[in-house]
Amino acid sequence: MSGAFRVAEGGRVDRARPVRFSFDGRAYTGLAGDTLASALIANGVHLVGRSFKYHRPRGFLAAGSEEPNALVRVGAGTARATPNLRATQVEVYEGLVAESQNRSPSLAFDLGAINDLAAPFLSAGFYYKTFMWPSWGWKRIYEPLIRRAAGLGRAPEAPDPDCYAQRYVHCDVLVVGAGPAGLSAALAAAEAGARVIICDEQAELGGSLLDETPGSAHAAWLARTLVALAQAGVRMLPRTTAFGMFAQNFVALAERVTEHLAAPDPRQPRERLWQVRARQVVLAAGAIERPLIFPGNDRPGVMLAGAARTYLRRYGVRPGARALVVTSSDEGYRSAIDLAQGGVDVAAIADLRAQPAAALADAARAAGLTVLPGSEIEGTSGRLRVRGARVRRATGGSAEIACDLVLMAGGRTPSVHLFSQSARKLSFDEATGAFVPDDAGGAIHPAGACRGVMEIDAVLRDGAQAGALAAQRAHLPTSAEVLRTVAATAEVTAVPARKPHARGRAFVDFQNDVTTKDIALAVREGFVSVEHVKRYTTVGMATDQGKTSNINALGLMAEARDTAIPQVGHTTFRMPYTPVSFGTLAGAARGNLFDPVRQTPIHAWAEAQGAVFEDVSLWKRARYFPERSETMHQAVARECLGVRAGVGVFDASTLGKIEVVGPDAAVFLERMYVNPFRKLGVGRTRYGVLLREDGFILDDGVIGRIAADRFHVTTTTGGAPRVLAMMEDYLQTEFSDLRVWLTSTTEEWAVIAVQGPKAREVIAPLVEGIDISPAALPHMSVREGRICGVKGRLFRVSFTGELGFELNVPADDAQMVWDAVWARGQDAGMVAYGTETMHVLRAEKGFIIVGQETDGTVTPDDVGLGWAVGAAKPDFVGKRSLARAAMKDPARKQLVGLLTQAPARVLEEGAQIVADASAGRRSLGHVTSAYFSACLGHSVALAMVSGGRARMGESLLVPMPGGDVTVRVVAPVFYDPAGERVNG
Amino acid sequence: MLLIPCPYCGPRPELEFAYGGEGGIARPADPAALDDDAWGAFLYHRSNPRGMHVERWRHVHGCGRFFNARRDTVTDLFACSWKVGEAAP
């Protein structure tokens, strides 16, 4: 029914619920409770993947998340199919569709296997040595080839239709791992009154206890404990991987909510990210069995012994008919005996150690098994499945043993990933032959196998003590503490990996196809640091992060360097423990919710007018307003001419605004800005320049004095938050003697700029209580009054060089005022203009834009704003830096204008500027702004040029792909140099 | 994500804060009296220790206030925090 290799009874699968699924287009039947791996093994399928580099046939190595070989794409369609899932973690459901990866055309016949024949040329680092010549080869040949070969699975093509949830939670004790140690820790912590969360990456809580025979004492303990935890209100999260551990016990968990369901509730998220802040963390992550290193150790059918035991006892599946057990640890014997009892014919136990523990060897012999101490595996045979292994005896001579299963038991490696991520130290434990957590203090408590405690009853005791201690530290940190008495010694002994004597490739990292020869080569070529060997050979760098390869690689490095593993050290453990989908990390923050979108009160009107928008920081700003089929250049030319000849209206609401209020407001601004402010009269405005303490321009804007103790400060659109933050910083920490209060009013005020010779006649009927005649309201003035009946602030300012007003009105009334201005403006031929026209008009006048002319290395004098600096002031932010000699160097880049020899030629912003056509020419500066000026009939450009002000009239060159462009250096004011039009 | 002890609001997640650089570096009362080296040291020289670091934080999405804290740069654990103007504990 559910596969020829299913045993008659046993296991935790539901024999009453068969489920149909497909793998590579073939239909199979499994049972509810199967993983894709166990269901395939039940059907006799072991060939499930091709390796990354050599395209070697691969089968299941493991039964859990450490699986390096069996990576599959699960799901149908272009949007939901997920690549690179471990078949050992995928739960089967009715209708599941899975596909193998990295093969073409099929698993059994893969053209990429040609790489395996070319293996002698594909050693570690071959890509650093091979793709050197010819010089054009990289771009045209090698990179396209490598790009095709790189990567494992195929990413889904269509946008992800599912939703993902994120939750933040706090708890007293978070227990990671729900095996015997984790469960007993959770129980002890809950009994002590702690709020407990326990998570486990598997579908069921229980860990290794799930492999126990039903009815056994440990199986009964598991059932009892799960009930007790539920009654105690412990939050239990199966299918939830703790993938990252951060500072202060901040742990990230990824929960797979619906992945295992045939027909998930569409209201459910697909996955959920838990961000847990735990007072105390118990790490009970268990241990991972180590493969052994011998030639041909990667054929399908070569598997970890513990995994085979899990398939048999948890899923009721025989992983093969006849097994050879190869072991360098005591644990191999237990697995062999269990498998033999479960109906697997065990051909022999080949122990790589000369002297196995007598008691275990006797037990194995008593069970009728053959024990071969001091063995060495010389190789395996078989193409798509192992057919036999060649065993060399200690007594001499070697024999081929026929088998369809080779089981490896190399001891267990404590799973210290999360502990290590928390920036804690590991120490090498000779007994386990692995690194274990070094300190058990603080708020992180390793327990059970992940700290080297392997024997089940000791593990249960250790977990209970860890849980009780964690609960106590969370609640009663001052009381006498629970003692932890379980010693972190393993009852399993293992020898470190050695290079095999026999010829043939022995794989260390299965997922990245790293062999013992690669590691030896790296050491021979002079790579000593473990981090360098890792990068050169790519050992441990695949998606499995070296779960099964890491400690073996260290053993081989130690051997090659003739030293010991502790001297080799270990590489850094990084999150995530297993891969996490982008959807889980992104949560709701995608599409329109990725970033906030800021819109002005005039946005809808601009949209209705057909405006084209651009992003300016988070704002959407109207860039231009095309009429009919106008291009941007046509629209901008029309808008520019309209403003200069008549009047234009512009939405400047995005300008940052800060209300600076208090008896010391003027003193504060005087200390912050380069300009003097104390003598600025009420009703007057000033163009302010703000520096950083290093003397470079940070921001600029018009500042108006509304009252003796009240200023209306404007900033650039993008600079508003950093200007306010800087002001707060100085006010709170340096000038805390000043009585000043700062309020962001950016969204309080909408700003309607009316610019052009006819600006006054347009707004005159809309303004009440303000005399806007030239004498009463000269350029650079501000008045409060009513505009269209609402309270507003009227600025007479100009960023165009024309007569101009900026109507500041409450945002809620902005559309009404805008409509009135627009209606009034029709008689005057008013144009609506966008940011592009604003840029052109200001460039014609040589007005800088912070961030365009300036780049964080520009002083006021560099951009011709030396006049704004209040040199008589004793101090302001940045003043001392301006006194440095380098800031006065005449060779500094200075703002100039450039005129192209060909008037229609518009330079490219960012283009470099040179003096002549000589070969060794060096850049004198760069173009910062360049536009075609419809008003002037030629192009204009602003540039920062070394010693620019002394170069007036000089010819310079702008090198471009089509040849040098000749330009003439001129003053940066192209239009109305006398500045008379603002006084209109 | 760090858990940062705001002396005004209590422990809050790092998302609510903005880092303010090394603490305890007062702006000179009369910058003009400093030579270039001394001014350069004020502007750019920071201790960058491995271990305990006095630093400024601002609870920008909370009370908005700057404060001082002592943090271990190895473990990322905060030892203490105190208000502007208070003596370091």
Side-chain angles (χ1 to χ4, degrees), chain A residues 391-441:
Chain A
V391 181
R392 182 173 188 84
R393 302 287 310 274
T395 50
S398 56
E400 176 87 9
I401 295 180
C403 56
D404 63 354
L405 202 56
V406 175
L407 300 179
M408 305 181 284
R412 285 199 279 165
T413 307
S415 200
V416 294
H417 302 71
L418 289 180
F419 182 84
S420 193
Q421 283 175 26
S422 71
R424 276 144 191 274
K425 286 206 166 54
L426 302 171
S427 63
F428 191 74
D429 176 39
E430 294 291 344
T432 35
F435 286 93
V436 293
D438 194 28
D439 82 272

Side-chain angles (χ1 to χ4, degrees), chain A residues 499-567:
Chain A
K499 192 162 146 288
H501 296 110
R503 294 169 60 84
R505 271 176 297 161
F507 285 82
V508 182
D509 184 322
F510 294 88
Q511 201 168 87
N512 263 355
D513 268 351
V514 180
T515 67
T516 53
K517 291 178 181 173
D518 293 321
I519 290 175
L521 178 73
V523 173
R524 215 160 53 234
E525 290 187 355
F527 291 90
V528 173
S529 155
V530 59
E531 295 284 1
H532 291 161
V533 174
K534 167 181 163 175
R535 282 156 184 76
Y536 192 60
T537 62
T538 72
V539 67
M541 288 176 68
T543 65
D544 67 344
Q545 299 220 13
K547 289 186 180 63
T548 52
S549 63
N550 200 312
I551 196 75
N552 280 343
L554 298 181
L556 291 162
M557 281 180 226
E559 187 187 18
R561 284 173 48 194
D562 201 18
T563 179
I565 291 179
Q567 277 69 58

Side-chain angles (χ1 to χ4, degrees), chain A residues 540-826:
Chain A
M541 288 176 68
T543 65
D544 67 344
Q545 299 220 13
K547 289 186 180 63
T548 52
S549 63
N550 200 312
I551 196 75
N552 280 343
L554 298 181
L556 291 162
M557 281 180 226
E559 187 187 18
R561 284 173 48 194
D562 201 18
T563 179
I565 291 179
Q567 277 69 58
V568 172
H570 60 85
T571 52
T572 312
F573 292 89
R574 297 181 202 282
M575 73 128 201
Y577 180 71
T578 49
V580 179
S581 72
F582 285 118
T584 303
L585 297 175
R590 59 178 183 167
N592 285 338
L593 297 178
F594 178 67
D595 244 356
V597 173
R598 301 181 80 182
Q599 296 178 346
T600 74
I602 316 299
H603 186 87
W605 183 90
E607 217 166 24
Q609 294 289 309
V612 175
F613 290 89
E614 67 171 337
D615 291 337
V616 180
S617 63
L618 296 174
W619 289 100
K620 297 284 176 200
R621 298 197 75 178
R623 193 174 182 198
Y624 57 99
F625 292 82
E627 287 185 354
R628 290 173 298 278
S629 57
E630 278 180 335
T631 64
M632 181 176 86
H633 289 292
Q634 290 165 338
V636 168
R638 175 181 50 75
E639 291 171 16
C640 285
L641 292 166
V643 173
R644 295 250 185 259
V647 62
V649 61
F650 174 69
D651 179 9
S653 302
T654 63
L655 280 182
K657 295 156 218 104
I658 302 167
E659 194 88 341
V660 178
V661 182
D664 299 318
V667 177
F668 176 68
L669 289 177
E670 184 139 311
R671 289 192 199 172
M672 296 302 298
Y673 281 78
V674 304
N675 321 67
F677 278 98
R678 272 199 260 208
K679 290 179 183 159
L680 184 69
V682 172
R684 297 294 296 172
T685 69
R686 184 157 282 165
Y687 169 70
V689 178
L690 182 67
L691 308 183
R692 300 186 310 223
E693 202 68 89
D694 60 10
F696 298 125
I697 294 176
L698 176 78
D699 204 78
D700 67 352
V702 169
I703 299 172
R705 191 163 199 169
I706 305 298
D709 62 351
R710 180 176 293 266
F711 289 82
H712 179 120
V713 174
T714 65
T715 73
T716 58
T717 292
R722 67 174 164 263
V723 171
L724 182 59
M726 176 176 166
M727 286 185 175
E728 279 289 350
D729 191 344
Y730 277 86
L731 190 57
Q732 290 186 32
T733 68
E734 297 292 351
F735 307 146
S736 50
D737 55 317
L738 301 182
R739 289 160 301 162
V740 177
W741 291 268
L742 307 170
T743 309
S744 167
T745 52
T746 301
E747 303 205 339
E748 188 95 8
W749 297 114
V751 182
I752 301 167
V754 182
Q755 302 273 313
K758 297 182 181 173
R760 187 178 288 111
E761 64 184 76
V762 170
I763 68 159
L766 307 177
V767 177
E768 302 161 45
I770 306 172
D771 182 352
I772 62 167
S773 65
L777 188 70
H779 184 51
M780 300 303 275
S781 307
V782 60
R783 295 287 182 277
E784 287 187 295
R786 289 193 174 269
I787 303 168
C788 297
V790 297
K791 279 178 84 169
R793 290 177 181 170
L794 179 66
F795 283 73
R796 182 166 167 203
V797 288
S798 173
F799 198 42
T800 57
E802 303 295 333
L803 167 67
F805 299 90
E806 288 185 359
L807 285 55
N808 283 250
V809 294
D812 288 348
D813 301 311
Q815 188 59 57
M816 178 271 291
V817 177
W818 180 280
D819 288 341
V821 170
W822 184 245
R824 273 286 308 161
Q826 293 314 299

